[in-house]
Each structure stands twice: as structure tokens, then as C-alpha cells.
Amino acid sequence: MRTFTALFLVMGCTSNGDGDSASLDCAGLYGYDCPTADAQEALDRVNALRAEAGLAPTVLESRLDVASQAHTDFMADNSDFNHYEDASKPGYTGDWVWDRMETAGYPLEPGRVWMEVISKGLSPADAVDGWIGTVYHRIPFTSVELIEVGFGYTDDYAGMALVLPFPDAERSAVLYPADGQVDVPTSFDSDTEIPDPAPGHGVVGYPISVSVGEPLFGNASTEDPYGLRLISASVTGPEGAVELLSLDPSNDSYMFNMAAVMPVSPLSSATTYDVEMVVEFGGSSETLTGSFTTR
């Protein structure tokens, strides 16, 4: 069974892994010479999806790779699909992702947020597709700035550590799926995401989201830094308006920089849908429009 889970922690002011790698200078593409083939595959997919949304690429960081690989080794060796590591079990390198980053020598700098996403039962590229095809796991991938990431893969356990700026960011509002995007999945099984963003609904339509950023200069609450609110949303297909479930930071604390809607029912295949989402953040509103076509 495919399962996804994510952990988010916001922090305010105050060695490469094993595996096959290419025998060439790939620092410009991936961030250092030379990450594993699994890490390269995952990063390529992340950056392809970011490019669809008009976002800049990110890079791998060797110490984040080490931390991520250590955790997927831990999960596989102990058959323990979890963000938390029990110090009494073999392969322990830190309780939580930020502890494992420190163990690997990565500096935990002020003004950044550290995240981790994990999955089981998918290839590296499919794991990335799975994460961005959810609600909570999509957050780091569609944020305007993704400083750097690390990736680990052991058996069918995948894990990615991600570092983003917080709370200050370039003012931005990013719609996903992007305008003109094709081959968009029709559905999302919310029961496969932990926590479940649509309790009691199971399979719903593919999530549609707006991720925002705003230069706040450090003066923000960690729970609702941008004052983001979804003012209105519509998704319209050939048969008319689609019934939606809505999430934003006012009703879900995980959604600190994202607002999202989920169609109550799966979308139709090979169909174009028009989207309009109006959001307010940083004291002003923006209207985002676009269309996408399902696979």
C-alpha cells in the first residue's frame, strides 16, 4: 500500500551516501559531486514539477542526503514507517529530522523551516509525484523558495529532508496544478496521507492549491505567519461547477503558507477544468486563474 506522511516544524531566530552515482561532474545539476542515482532521480522529478509551476529549481545538499539516507535505512532495518526514531533501535541517528540533520553536520540556521516527507512502496520519482499529489506534502514543493533538499531510499522506503526560508520570503502566490498543465491525475485518496486532510471522505478529486510567501522581516506568528485566507474558489468543468472541500490556515494549522481545495468527487478523465482562487495574505488579496487537463 502506498502511504505518505509528513512532519513540519518551524524554527525562529534564536559525506555522501551509499549507492550508484554517475562518474561525471554533476555539481551544477545536483548540488554536489555526485549524489546517488536514487537522489538524482528524485531531484530531477522535483525540479520538473517546480518548472511546471514556474518555480526555480532546488539542489541536493550532501549532509541532508546523509541524514535522509540514514533515516530510510532505519525505517527499513526496523520495519518502522515513522518520522520518529527510537534510540533503543539499531541505526538510530536522531529523534527527529532536525536531530538527524545535526548528526550529519548540517547547521540549523535561524530563519529557516525544516521539513521531512516519507513514503513507502514507490520508486524515487513516483514518491515525489505522490507527495505533490497530496495536500500537506505538497507544501514545500510548491513554495516559491526551496533552499535545498536531501533524499534517501532503502528498499521501498523513501525520505526527503527539505529546508525553506521562514518566515520571510519573496511575495508570491503560486497556483498548482499550473495554468495549462496536462496529464493531471483525476483523484486523490486522502486516507493514504497522514494526517488525513479530508477525514471521512476517502477518495476525492485531485487537490488544487495556492502557495504564498511574503516578506515579514521576522514579525510573524509561527501558526499563521501570512494571515492567509481563502476568500473564494471555483473549479468548473463541462458539466458546471465542482463541489469543493476547502482548507487554509484558519481551519488547519498545517496549512501555514498554503490554501487548497479538493473536489468532493474524482474529476473526469481527459477533461479541461477552469480554476479561480482568491486569497488574502500579507494584508492584500490576489486572484489566481488557470486551467488544467486531466489524464
Side-chain angles (χ1 to χ4, degrees):
M1 177 181 179
R2 302 182 306 168
T3 308
F4 310 98
T5 182
L7 177 70
F8 307 99
L9 182 73
V10 173
M11 301 297 291
C13 295
T14 281
S15 73
N16 298 355
D18 295 331
D20 296 333
S21 60
S23 57
L24 72 158
D25 181 353
C26 51
L29 292 175
Y30 298 106
Y32 72 94
D33 298 330
C34 264
T36 67
D38 290 331
Q40 292 178 33
E41 178 183 333
L43 185 75
D44 286 346
R45 190 59 184 151
V46 168
N47 285 337
L49 293 169
R50 286 179 63 81
E52 285 184 320
L55 295 169
T58 189
V59 296
L60 293 165
E61 207 281 340
S62 61
R63 292 164 294 186
L64 296 180
D65 273 359
V66 169
S68 298
Q69 187 62 52
H71 188 53
T72 58
D73 289 344
F74 177 90
M75 290 191 292
D77 291 345
N78 295 286
S79 299
D80 185 6
F81 183 64
N82 202 323
H83 289 289
Y84 177 76
E85 289 190 7
D86 184 336
S88 68
K89 294 183 178 181
Y92 169 86
T93 55
D95 288 4
W96 301 103
V97 61
W98 45 89
D99 301 312
R100 298 187 285 272
M101 288 179 180
E102 281 195 305
T103 299
Y106 186 83
L108 302 182
E109 299 179 12
R112 293 186 172 189
V113 57
W114 312 305
M115 299 183 180
E116 180 180 74
V117 292
I118 59 176
S119 70
K120 181 181 178 183
L122 295 169
S123 70
D126 287 343
V128 173
D129 282 346
W131 290 324
I132 205 167
T134 64
V135 176
Y136 304 127
H137 293 66
R138 180 181 294 178
I139 289 172
F141 298 106
T142 57
S143 294
V144 65
E145 186 174 354
L146 180 54
I147 295 171
E148 50 202 4
V149 302
F151 184 78
Y153 193 73
T154 309
D155 298 334
D156 61 351
Y157 290 88
M160 181 171 278
L162 310 102
V163 181
L164 290 80
F166 184 86
D168 300 322
E170 174 187 339
R171 181 169 174 90
S172 59
V174 178
L175 182 67
Y176 195 89
D179 183 28
Q181 191 167 329
V182 298
D183 199 33
V184 173
T186 60
S187 64
F188 161 54
D189 185 352
S190 71
D191 293 340
T192 64
E193 185 170 24
I194 304 171
D196 185 344
H201 286 274
V203 177
V204 294
Y206 193 74
I208 302 154
S209 62
V210 175
S211 300
V212 307
E214 175 75 10
L216 302 174
F217 308 107
N219 299 316
S221 74
T222 57
E223 293 81 12
D224 188 14
Y226 307 112
L228 172 62
R229 296 294 180 267
L230 179 61
I231 305 304
S232 65
S234 65
V235 177
T236 307
E239 297 180 357
V242 174
E243 184 181 359
L244 303 171
L245 304 170
S246 300
L247 294 174
D248 70 16
S250 71
N251 59 23
D252 191 316
S253 61
Y254 284 103
M255 305 288 287
F256 71 95
N257 74 333
M258 193 171 85
V261 295
M262 290 170 284
V264 171
S265 301
L267 300 172
S268 299
S269 62
T271 300
T272 298
Y273 290 88
D274 296 320
V275 177
E276 179 180 279
M277 294 181 71
V278 181
V279 294
E280 181 178 278
F281 65 102
S284 60
S285 64
E286 291 198 26
T287 300
L288 293 96
T289 61
S291 64
F292 64 84
T293 302
T294 55
R295 64 179 53 153

